[in-house]
Amino acid sequence: MRKIIIADDEHKILMSLEYSFKKNGYDVYIARDGTEVLDFLKTMVPDVILLDIMMPNLDGYSTLEAMKEDERMEDTKVIFLSAKNNPKDIEKGLKMGADAYVTKPYSIKKLMQQIEEMFG
Amino acid sequence: MSSLALFAVVLVYLALLFLVAHLAEKKRSKRWVNNPYIYALSLAVYCTAWTYYGSIGVAATSGLNYLPIYIGPIMIIPAWIYINTRIVRISRINKISSLADFISLRYGNSRSFSAIITVVCLLAIVPYIGLQIKAISETFHLVTETSISNNILTDNATFVVILIALFSSYYGTRYVDASEKRLGIISAIALESFLKLFFIIILGIFVIYFVFDGFSDIYEKASKFEDFKEKNTFKGIEDAMNWMVLCMISATAICILPRQFHTAIIENRQEKHIKTAIWFFPLYLLIFTVFIFPIAWGGRLIFDGEKVNPEFYSILIPQHFDNTLITVFVFLGGLSSCISMIIISAITLSIMLSNNLIIPYGLLGKFKSDNEIQNTRNITNIRKFSIFALIIMAFVFYKFFILKTSLDSVGLISFVVIAQLAPSFFGAIFWRRGSYKGAVAGLLAGLAICYFGLIIPQYYFSYNQEFKGVVREIYDVFGFFNISFLSRIPEIFFWSTLVNTSLFTIISVSVKGNYRERNFAELYVDIDKHILNHENAFVWRGTAYVSDIKNILERFLGKKKTEQALRIFNLKYNIDSKTETADSRFIKFSENLLAGRIGTASAKILIEGVTKEDKISLKEVLNILEESKENITLNKKLTEQSEELQKLSNDLRKANENLIVKDRQKDDFLDSVAHELRTPITAIRSAGEILADDDDIPTDIKQEFLNNIITESDRLSEIINDILYLDKLEHGEIALNIKENNILETYKKALNPLLHLIQQKNIHLSEVNLLNQTVFEYDEARMIQLFQNILGNALKFTDDQGTIQTKLAEKADHLIITIFNTGQHIPEEDLEMIFDKFYQSKNQNILKPTGSGLGLAISKKIVQAHSGNIKAENSGLGVTFTISIPYSITKNEVEQNQ
């Protein structure tokens, strides 16, 4: 079973993502901001992380940066999930090493497909 | 005190002056040298031995007549802000270095007129310098209790005078350009002015409080003298008239005395210094005057019946009480008065003597040498020689003519002689028609009257008594002119200035003037119009070559300085450096360059030597001047227009920059609004997608997703409403409904809907009411919104079990509401910006804000619409928002917001 961490501070967005991924057989972990993501990473290595960019305490960019230093995370797919749809922001996210950048609002179905394709 | 000891004191004192002069020259730019008080103090060179000693004598022997020499200047000095400002400007642009230059340049720059003025100044001032030497000598002997020696070589005064002459010639001729500022000398003079006032204050206090028992004690005792009342009151119209004329004499003297002209005009470094001088100098004179009365009458009380010279009461009193220290102080004060007068007078007279007599009438040919260094040396040597010659002349005068006369009469005669320059002097700055012929005729007639009326009786009679009878008979013929209610000096002043002014006026208006003097008349009277391009206002037509004039300039300025000056000139008037022929502007420019060194008259003669001037009629000159005036007006208009354009373009640039900033702010705002809107849309879309695709979704979860769609839709519309509302507030489209309301009730109304949320988070809520009244004027609906926004904000940031406290108070006609919460501190740099929606969007593009970020912006707009203000501060454990709203909201504001 693939492990996925979903990081977003919007309760209602988390709800639908959690429901959909669970239904598709993922082991889902919910984080409210970047620090909670890093807490999870101390004890586990997820297959996918969905990261919002604007979050309280630790934002998405910084979270990814911190993760990159951990060798265990080499195979983990990181997808930014943000309402910031500025080309500059997208470029920045991809340059930092994210595997994909999906803008809000998105289709959960398509998002799911995209992830499936990543694992071939 | 022994002669040797006193001489040593004098030497130390002179050494101090040398030191001050030396330091001032070295530190020319320093604040302590270049300040208005040094300038104002240097004007007090006016107070000479005559004021220092003489007026005490006058107060004791002839009463109130000591006052005019102080009152006259005090009366006219306020007018300096107008008169002297103009003279300073005229002198600066024409490189004027003396009184003779100033007057003669105006009347056509005539060599003869400047020579006559120089002679008048010599006649008036040399005896006056003699007077100072007399005072030094007499007080020296008085302090040392020795008798005056007839042998010049054993008279100590001789040595003091030689030292002064050395000092003046060294520091007075340091610059070959006479219009340069002599900081060393001026600083030394200012120090002396300070010291003489200081010493007379010490003496005054000594007499009033140590010799007598206060001012009233002196007055009481002195009033027992039979003549006290008579001397301290006016004897009817007669005394008052004399007194008034004496005031006029002094008022004229303070403007025209060569030494005053020099300190006030030539040594003026900044026009604004005059502003300080016009109150400082009268104050100085007033303080001086205060002590004259008690010293004079104290002296009479002490020495009543004894044969002593009342002019020296100031030395005799401390000496009588064996107080050597104060005696020496007073002597040094007197010495200061004399020295500063001798130095400045000698310097100014030497400049006049060299520039207006010796050089133009004798030595101009000598300057044919091409060697600038040699010429410079010659000029300074002539001035050094002049200074020595003048002081020796004064010394001789003292020894032969004024040994027996009082200080007072010599001083006043000098004033009356100098006053003969008044009509042409004041005419120069106020009257265009005044002419050379009128000025010279008036001056000579006035001088003749002074000579026969004052000088012969004063000096000749006192020197040779035998002729007295014969000359007296001749004088009786003129008995017709006697004015019974005026004494001798006021009478001669009256007749001489009357005749002088009348001749000046009548001849000037009836004889056709010379074109050159009319040219300078325009330059002098309309100085403010010509100050920037004065060379343009100089009318000259003829043939002249730049190279010829350049040759002359090089002889005096040297090659380097001449090249530099020409470069500046060409740059100023945009002239090609290869131009061969000189125009009128170049002629005036070159004359100015030479004027400081050899005087305006000699400069003109030298330039005339290499140019060929065409005759111009007076009518033509007036036409040219008129044209030049029109040009100036046109120029001014053009400059104004270009300045306006410049301003307009600056405004446009600023507006453009502003627009760019506004545009970026708008982009940021839209960006942030879009971001804000996408969040609920995402939630709605996701929920919708799940509901649409998933058929076997459990009912309770389905219900939850449907609820999400509803609440997020509400959130979406709330954000849209907020944005629209803020926009309306910003554009003043929402009318305020200002009424009297109870603020406590309004607060309750705002709080009620939030209460259950507060209870949920277990927040401790409290209110502090410090109000004396509860009814205020405001729009209740807006106020409820304001409270809810701030409280809602507090609620979001306050942790569970935290505190929110609201305080209501009054302060200086304002209702003050503070709402404190124990939430996290706001970063200091954001405190002011949190009310700004645009700022938020810029700084919160990474860290997620809680809430839409529009609540505080709306709150601020509401407070502003009520003419109040709102601010946030970090205080102790949390954050405090303070709202201040005035009792009465100005109608204007309300209307504006409508």
Side-chain angles (χ1 to χ4, degrees):
Chain A
M1 202 152 51
R2 286 197 192 115
K3 290 179 198 152
I4 183 165
I5 300 178
I6 307 174
D8 200 314
D9 61 327
E10 281 289 331
H11 167 69
K12 280 152 195 167
I13 291 176
L14 282 173
M15 244 182 90
S16 41
L17 287 173
E18 186 185 10
Y19 176 84
S20 302
F21 277 96
K22 270 190 176 159
K23 192 148 192 211
N24 277 282
Y26 280 82
D27 192 3
V28 180
Y29 298 84
I30 299 292
R32 296 301 189 112
D33 72 353
T35 53
E36 287 183 17
V37 174
L38 296 182
D39 279 344
F40 278 129
L41 297 183
K42 280 177 195 158
T43 53
M44 60 171 286
V45 180
D47 299 287
V48 190
I49 300 181
L50 296 185
L51 266 180
D52 188 10
I53 292 177
M54 278 174 65
M55 292 185 293
N57 302 325
L58 194 66
D59 65 86
Y61 292 136
S62 313
T63 314
L64 178 59
E65 219 159 27
M67 274 173 57
K68 285 280 163 194
E69 287 173 12
D70 194 337
E71 281 175 18
R72 296 175 304 146
M73 305 297 154
E74 243 172 46
D75 297 327
T76 306
K77 309 285 177 202
V78 179
I79 300 168
F80 276 128
L81 215 54
S82 172
K84 287 159 73 75
N85 66 349
N86 222 308
K88 260 194 279 174
D89 295 317
I90 298 175
E91 203 188 314
K92 183 180 174 188
L94 293 176
K95 258 196 186 152
M96 286 185 73
D99 297 276
Y101 191 109
V102 177
T103 57
K104 290 177 182 173
Y106 46 79
S107 154
I108 298 188
K109 228 190 289 175
K110 279 187 189 160
L111 178 68
M112 203 73 78
Q113 277 170 9
Q114 216 174 335
I115 295 171
E116 292 297 327
E117 279 165 17
M118 279 181 189
F119 291 104
Chain B
M1 194 174 194
S2 80
S3 295
L4 219 57
L6 190 60
F7 196 71
V9 170
V10 171
L11 275 180
V12 171
Y13 186 73
L14 285 174
L16 176 74
L17 290 188
F18 265 101
L19 182 72
V20 168
H22 180 71
L23 288 178
E25 283 289 344
K26 254 177 96 177
K27 305 198 156 98
R28 296 179 69 87
S29 58
K30 284 278 156 49
R31 185 99 186 104
W32 68 266
V33 180
N34 184 16
N35 76 62
Y37 298 99
I38 296 280
Y39 172 72
L41 274 173
S42 75
L43 296 175
V45 70
Y46 176 75
C47 298
T48 63
W50 171 28
T51 9
Y52 197 81
Y53 296 122
S55 56
I56 294 173
V58 179
T61 52
S62 51
L64 291 178
N65 278 350
Y66 76 92
L67 281 173
I69 48 163
Y70 301 102
I71 306 270
I74 292 173
M75 270 165 25
I76 198 148
I77 284 169
W80 276 10
I81 200 70
Y82 182 69
I83 301 176
N84 277 14
T85 306
R86 302 182 71 175
I87 301 179
V88 162
R89 286 178 192 167
I90 295 168
S91 302
R92 196 177 64 222
I93 66 166
N94 290 300
K95 284 278 189 180
I96 282 168
S97 54
S98 69
L99 180 66
D101 260 7
F102 176 75
I103 298 177
S104 65
L105 184 68
R106 156 64 184 83
Y107 298 97
N109 198 5
S110 130
R111 176 169 74 155
S112 56
F113 197 16
S114 67
I116 295 172
I117 295 166
T118 305
V119 172
V120 173
C121 291
L122 286 175
L123 277 178
I125 306 303
V126 169
Y128 202 175
I129 299 178
L131 181 85
Q132 311 303 316
I133 300 175
K134 172 180 152 94
I136 296 176
S137 168
E138 286 184 10
T139 52
F140 193 94
H141 291 291
L142 208 61
V143 173
T144 55
E145 290 171 86
T146 51
S147 57
I148 297 177
S149 166
N150 274 333
N151 185 345
I152 303 176
L153 292 177
T154 55
D155 187 348
N156 283 313
T158 315
F159 300 109
V160 176
V161 168
I162 288 171
L163 280 174
I164 296 170
L166 280 173
F167 180 79
S168 333
S169 60
Y170 180 69
Y171 278 104
T173 57
R174 287 200 61 163
Y175 313 103
V176 61
D177 188 329
S179 58
E180 276 271 353
K181 316 292 176 213
R182 294 165 180 74
L183 274 178
I185 289 278
I186 290 302
S187 304
I189 300 298
L191 173 72
E192 291 195 281
S193 293
F194 169 75
L195 288 178
K196 65 193 176 200
L197 182 69
F198 181 63
F199 291 145
I200 204 131
I201 291 174
I202 288 184
L203 173 71
I205 290 170
F206 173 74
V207 173
I208 298 171
Y209 295 105
F210 292 89
V211 177
F212 293 94
D213 208 8
F215 194 87
S216 50
D217 182 40
I218 299 178
Y219 187 87
E220 211 172 287
K221 285 179 180 152
S223 58
K224 294 197 175 103
F225 281 115
E226 274 176 21
D227 57 350
F228 181 80
K229 197 173 170 218
E230 175 202 79
K231 285 200 169 123
N232 286 297
T233 44
F234 288 129
K235 284 192 297 289
I237 190 88
E238 199 174 304
D239 261 10
M241 286 299 280
N242 270 308
W243 207 76
M244 203 186 77
V245 177
L246 287 174
C247 282
M248 281 169 68
I249 297 176
S250 316
T252 319
I254 192 82
C255 296
I256 318 186
L257 276 173
R259 65 173 189 279
Q260 295 306 135
F261 186 86
H262 187 86
T263 48
I265 309 293
I266 310 295
E267 297 291 349
N268 174 283
R269 303 189 81 200
Q270 286 175 34
E271 272 181 33
K272 65 177 184 197
H273 288 179
I274 298 175
K275 278 190 188 153
T276 309
I278 61 167
W279 64 264
F280 187 90
F281 185 43
L283 183 70
Y284 182 100
L285 291 177
L286 277 174
I287 298 173
F288 222 106
T289 332
V290 168
F291 295 102
I292 304 289
F293 179 90
I295 297 170
W297 287 93
R300 261 203 71 178
L301 284 167
I302 296 165
F303 301 107
D304 191 30
E306 288 179 46
K307 261 200 124 186
V308 295
N309 184 353
E311 291 190 332
F312 297 124
Y313 277 162
S314 50
I315 285 184
L316 292 168
I317 297 173
Q319 208 169 32
H320 180 80
F321 290 97
D322 282 333
N323 195 326
T324 318
L325 184 68
I326 293 184
T327 312
V328 173
F329 274 175
V330 174
F331 169 77
L332 285 179
L335 188 69
S336 293
S337 315
C338 301
I339 289 178
S340 46
M341 187 277 174
I342 297 175
I343 292 172
I344 295 287
S345 299
I347 290 172
T348 50
L349 287 180
S350 80
I351 293 171
M352 285 197 240
L353 202 60
S354 67
N355 285 4
N356 302 312
L357 270 180
I358 301 177
I359 295 175
Y361 281 97
L363 297 173
L364 209 48
K366 274 217 159 185
F367 296 131
K368 291 249 160 76
S369 131
D370 284 338
N371 188 341
E372 167 245 342
I373 299 167
Q374 186 59 41
N375 282 340
T376 301
R377 197 179 301 145
N378 283 344
I379 296 170
T380 40
N381 281 344
I382 292 170
R383 295 212 187 112
K384 280 200 172 97
F385 161 77
S386 306
I387 290 177
F388 257 94
L390 281 163
I391 293 179
I392 287 169
M393 265 160 68
F395 191 70
V396 170
F397 201 88
Y398 143 65
K399 280 286 179 193
F400 290 96
F401 291 100
I402 51 174
L403 263 182
K404 292 185 185 69
T405 48
S406 71
L407 299 180
D408 173 52
S409 51
V410 177
L412 267 183
I413 290 171
S414 290
F415 277 18
V416 176
V417 173
I418 275 297
Q420 299 316 311
L421 297 172
S424 48
F425 179 83
F426 290 111
I429 46 174
F430 292 116
W431 196 36
R432 281 188 177 80
R433 283 295 294 274
S435 75
Y436 165 77
K437 285 173 191 153
V440 172
L443 176 60
L444 292 178
L447 278 179
I449 295 172
C450 292
Y451 188 73
F452 289 106
L454 288 176
I455 296 171
I456 291 188
Q458 176 74 34
Y459 300 118
Y460 194 65
F461 293 171
S462 77
Y463 180 61
N464 196 335
Q465 297 288 331
E466 291 163 39
F467 285 91
K468 194 173 177 178
V470 184
V471 185
R472 172 72 67 215
E473 275 167 31
I474 304 169
Y475 270 74
D476 288 343
V477 181
F478 295 102
F480 169 73
F481 291 104
N482 277 348
I483 303 171
S484 59
F485 55 81
L486 286 184
S487 55
R488 193 76 184 151
I489 290 175
E491 183 188 270
I492 297 299
F493 174 76
F494 171 78
W495 281 119
S496 60
T497 43
L498 179 75
V499 171
N500 185 340
T501 313
S502 307
L503 279 176
F504 174 55
T505 323
I506 294 164
I507 295 177
S508 290
V509 293
S510 47
V511 178
K512 203 173 127 189
N514 164 287
Y515 80 91
R516 178 54 48 82
E517 66 191 29
R518 194 54 200 262
N519 188 183
F520 279 109
E522 291 291 331
L523 243 168
Y524 271 48
V525 177
D526 278 336
I527 176 67
D528 289 340
K529 280 193 189 141
H530 301 298
I531 192 138
L532 284 179
N533 291 305
H534 62 100
E535 280 118 356
N536 271 329
F538 178 72
V539 179
W540 187 90
R541 199 189 291 153
T543 342
Y545 295 98
V546 173
S547 55
D548 293 339
I549 298 174
K550 210 172 131 192
N551 278 340
I552 298 180
L553 294 179
E554 277 173 4
R555 272 194 256 150
F556 291 89
L557 276 72
K559 234 183 163 68
K560 214 172 125 195
K561 270 196 182 155
T562 307
E563 295 283 350
Q564 198 184 358
L566 288 191
R567 249 202 321 277
I568 292 170
F569 176 81
N570 289 338
L571 214 64
K572 182 177 175 188
Y573 290 108
N574 201 12
I575 292 172
D576 183 10
S577 60
K578 291 190 184 81
T579 312
E580 284 180 2
T581 49
D583 61 2
S584 61
R585 294 176 299 191
F586 190 67
I587 304 277
K588 178 73 177 117
F589 178 76
S590 313
E591 279 189 15
N592 268 5
L593 284 176
L594 294 175
R597 288 171 163 71
I598 53 173
T600 53
S602 303
K604 183 186 160 213
I605 295 168
L606 277 182
I607 299 286
E608 264 174 1
V610 294
T611 58
K612 194 172 159 290
E613 189 180 358
D614 297 340
K615 274 249 173 276
I616 317 178
S617 70
L618 183 58
K619 204 178 153 208
E620 264 182 288
V621 171
L622 293 178
N623 282 340
I624 294 169
L625 285 172
E626 194 52 45
E627 242 171 64
S628 125
K629 239 189 235 173
E630 271 166 24
N631 276 339
I632 289 169
T633 325
L634 198 71
N635 251 332
K636 213 173 156 192
K637 253 189 208 158
L638 280 175
T639 320
E640 274 168 12
Q641 270 172 4
S642 106
E643 270 166 12
E644 235 166 68
L645 273 174
Q646 182 68 36
K647 198 180 159 274
L648 214 65
S649 108
N650 279 346
D651 287 352
L652 269 175
R653 195 173 41 78
K654 263 185 211 149
N656 195 32
E657 278 168 10
N658 232 347
L659 273 178
I660 291 172
V661 171
K662 280 255 151 51
D663 196 51
R664 206 170 39 233
Q665 282 179 338
K666 187 203 75 191
D667 284 349
D668 287 347
F669 177 60
L670 288 179
D671 207 32
S672 125
V673 165
H675 183 273
E676 219 44 59
L677 292 174
R678 274 189 201 111
T679 304
I681 290 173
T682 306
I684 293 170
R685 196 190 185 290
S686 303
E689 202 183 343
I690 292 168
L691 288 171
D693 293 350
D694 199 338
D695 293 333
D696 34 80
I697 185 166
T699 327
D700 56 331
I701 295 179
K702 186 177 174 180
Q703 194 57 47
E704 213 170 324
F705 279 126
L706 285 171
N707 275 339
N708 280 359
I709 291 176
I710 295 167
T711 53
E712 288 302 274
S713 301
D714 286 347
R715 180 173 163 194
L716 207 53
S717 82
E718 195 187 312
I719 294 173
I720 293 169
N721 283 343
D722 275 358
I723 293 167
L724 293 177
Y725 183 66
L726 187 64
D727 188 60
K728 277 187 180 163
L729 272 180
E730 263 177 6
H731 291 92
E733 283 168 23
I734 296 175
L736 289 185
N737 178 20
I738 304 278
K739 275 191 194 143
E740 289 197 337
N741 294 292
N742 186 320
I743 188 72
L744 292 178
E745 281 170 14
T746 306
Y747 177 70
K748 283 266 142 57
K749 282 182 201 170
L751 190 63
N752 280 336
L754 299 172
L755 274 177
H756 79 278
L757 287 173
I758 293 171
Q759 277 157 6
Q760 243 176 29
K761 282 183 93 175
N762 222 343
I763 287 173
H764 174 72
L765 181 76
S766 68
E767 291 154 35
V768 182
N769 176 10
L770 302 170
L771 293 172
N772 298 317
Q773 60 176 84
T774 50
V775 177
F776 296 90
E777 282 187 349
Y778 54 85
D779 180 329
E780 188 169 41
R782 309 277 164 253
M783 196 60 76
I784 289 175
Q785 195 179 4
L786 169 67
F787 278 134
Q788 284 182 342
N789 281 351
I790 306 283
L791 287 170
N793 190 68
L795 202 54
K796 262 177 232 159
F797 288 100
T798 308
D799 293 331
D800 287 1
Q801 296 183 333
T803 297
I804 296 178
Q805 188 189 60
T806 306
K807 204 188 276 180
L808 295 123
E810 291 155 80
K811 194 175 160 193
D813 291 347
H814 277 69
L815 166 64
I816 311 285
I817 303 161
T818 56
I819 298 176
F820 165 78
N821 69 69
T822 49
Q824 235 181 11
H825 276 186
I826 300 166
E828 285 297 322
E829 66 271 19
D830 287 359
L831 278 174
E832 270 183 43
M833 309 296 188
I834 55 167
F835 297 102
D836 191 337
K837 58 179 199 254
F838 298 126
Y839 179 82
Q840 265 200 332
S841 65
K842 247 160 70 183
N843 268 265
Q844 295 190 341
N845 61 357
I846 294 182
L847 283 182
K848 178 85 182 169
T850 313
S852 75
L854 292 171
L856 288 181
I858 290 173
S859 303
K860 187 174 182 179
K861 290 286 168 217
I862 292 174
V863 175
Q864 279 175 344
H866 283 83
S867 315
N869 63 59
I870 181 169
K871 63 173 184 193
E873 305 164 276
N874 292 321
S875 48
L877 293 170
V879 178
T880 305
F881 282 84
T882 307
I883 300 156
S884 156
I885 290 172
Y887 284 170
S888 54
I889 299 142
T890 50
K891 214 158 183 251
N892 224 354
E893 281 284 334
V894 178
E895 273 167 7
Q896 248 179 32
N897 282 298
Q898 283 170 356

